[in-house]
Amino acid sequence: MRDTGIRGSGIPDFRDSETLEFGVVQARRQAEAAEVAEVVEAGSARGPGLPRHWLLLLLGAAVLPGVVLVVVGRSLEEPAVQAWRTVCLAVTVQALPFLLLGTALSGAINAFVPASVFSRLLPKRPALAVPVAGAAGVVLPGCECASVPVANSLIGRGVNPAAAFAFLLSAPAINPVVLTATAVAFPGSPEMVLARLLASLVTAAVMGWLWLWLGREEWLRPAVRHTGHREGHSRWEEFRQGFQHDFLHAGGFLVVGAMAAATFNVAVPRSVLEVFSGSPWLSVLFLAALAILLAVCSEADAFVAASLSGFSPVARLAFMVVGPMVDLKLIALQAGTFGRAFAVRFSSATVVVAVVCSAVVGGVLL
């Protein structure tokens, strides 16, 4: 039977589902267009549209920045804020040249000194290799951020882990840049430089010997990371990349450490400082814990320690001995490189040994 009714008359057959949907969509579009037209006509009748509280918003945008500038400007004139700013800038400006030199030397060693040099120079007997590797930090300086991957590379090339760990601890603590910065931060106190050298060197050697005695292979899971020159790459480009990475990374911690030191000097009441500074052991433990938390680069920590004038020389020595060996960033680097089990045990033991060595050496020399 033919369909000659609705289809032949030109009227849409809404029994067809597709035609029905099309009709609904068209109706909706017409309704929306009508609503838009009504809104446009109403707006043109009222004039250009503005927010309901446009006057208050305009007044706030004009007044609020001025109020902020006035408040901040007045606060900057306060004696406490001025003292904070002076201490922060002094620590940063004094430490920046040494940080620059130290990271440049670290990048140069990574790019131009082959890792095989270390294995050839170290004695074959591990017990003798440990102090030699620790003393190598005097002539082969490196930032503490770079010492972890360097130690990993040494282990991967056959160096005994105990010797590699001694170098890891000593290189950022007793290199010439750090010792020079210490002499500048403590003018007229050569005994502080000598005490830092001896306490750091003894700590590194003791930790290496402890690993020979108590260390276990299952604690050590070195990650595969490259350090040193790669064949086919430009040594100067590797130097530039290493220097840029170390300087920017360590520079951020320097600024944070300077701000924390300034805040500590200005904001902490003297009564609180007297509680710790009045006790020889409490002051040593307090500054050792502070060094772990601040994570200041070793090329700059002497200036932070010098600013903590309310504490004893032994306590400030502990700050400079513990900081380059154990801090938050180094614990994270060690955990990522050698495994969490190693980082927890090694860092905890290093803190104890460093505090004891600082107290003994500082008690004799300072």
Side-chain angles (χ1 to χ4, degrees):
M1 182 177 178
R2 294 185 303 170
D3 184 5
T4 58
I6 298 177
R7 293 181 187 238
S9 62
I11 300 175
D13 185 0
F14 290 102
R15 289 175 298 180
D16 188 341
S17 59
E18 295 182 357
T19 305
L20 179 61
E21 292 177 359
F22 177 77
V24 172
V25 171
Q26 289 293 99
R28 288 179 178 176
R29 289 179 177 176
Q30 292 177 358
E32 292 175 356
E35 292 178 358
V36 171
E38 292 178 358
V39 171
V40 171
E41 291 177 359
S44 61
R46 291 193 305 264
L50 292 173
R52 178 177 300 179
H53 305 292
W54 66 271
L55 185 58
L56 294 178
L57 293 176
L58 180 61
L59 185 61
V63 173
L64 185 59
V67 173
V68 172
L69 290 176
V70 170
V71 173
V72 172
R74 288 182 177 178
S75 64
L76 291 177
E77 300 301 325
E78 294 293 332
V81 178
Q82 289 183 349
W84 182 93
R85 184 175 55 190
T86 301
V87 173
C88 182
L89 289 177
V91 172
T92 303
V93 172
Q94 283 183 313
L96 194 59
F98 297 97
L99 177 63
L100 184 66
L101 179 58
T103 51
L105 288 175
S106 177
I109 291 171
N110 181 69
F112 298 106
V113 178
S116 58
V117 171
F118 297 93
S119 59
R120 290 199 303 265
L121 295 178
L122 292 177
K124 300 299 181 182
R125 295 183 59 182
L128 295 178
V130 167
V132 173
V138 177
V139 295
L140 294 174
C143 179
E144 60 262 35
C145 302
S147 63
V148 175
V150 168
N152 182 36
S153 176
L154 295 177
I155 295 173
R157 301 195 181 195
V159 176
N160 190 281
F165 296 149
F167 178 79
L168 181 151
L169 296 177
S170 67
I174 63 173
N175 66 68
V177 179
V178 170
L179 296 180
T180 303
T182 306
V184 174
F186 293 90
S189 300
E191 63 275 6
M192 180 64 78
V193 181
L194 180 61
R196 180 173 192 176
L197 171 63
L198 294 179
S200 300
L201 186 58
V202 171
T203 300
V206 169
M207 286 303 302
W209 287 326
L210 281 178
W211 179 263
L212 286 177
W213 180 30
L214 302 174
R216 298 179 182 179
E217 289 295 330
E218 57 265 26
W219 295 348
L220 185 61
R221 297 178 182 177
V224 179
R225 292 186 180 182
H226 176 79
T227 57
H229 175 62
R230 290 176 291 179
E231 293 297 332
H233 292 74
S234 171
R235 292 184 183 271
W236 287 105
E237 180 63 20
E238 290 177 342
F239 164 74
R240 185 193 65 80
Q241 293 178 356
F243 166 70
Q244 177 179 335
H245 174 272
D246 290 345
F247 180 75
L248 294 178
H249 187 266
F253 286 103
L254 167 62
V255 174
V256 173
M259 294 173 65
T263 303
F264 185 81
N265 277 272
V266 174
V268 178
R270 289 295 174 185
S271 58
V272 176
L273 294 180
E274 291 173 358
V275 173
F276 293 98
S277 61
S279 172
W281 280 105
L282 280 180
S283 61
V284 170
L285 296 177
F286 180 76
L287 286 193
L290 187 66
I292 297 174
L293 296 176
L294 292 185
V296 183
C297 185
S298 59
E299 284 87 358
D301 62 355
F303 299 96
V304 178
S307 68
L308 303 174
S309 57
F311 291 87
S312 66
V314 177
R316 288 186 281 177
L317 173 64
F319 179 89
M320 294 185 292
V321 173
V322 173
M325 298 184 178
V326 184
D327 59 34
L328 294 180
K329 68 176 185 296
L330 287 177
I331 294 174
L333 287 172
Q334 291 176 9
T337 303
F338 301 113
R340 185 179 302 175
F342 168 83
V344 171
R345 292 176 173 86
F346 190 77
S347 299
S348 302
T350 302
V351 171
V352 175
V353 174
V355 169
V356 172
C357 290
S358 300
V360 173
V361 174
V364 174
L365 297 179
L366 300 179

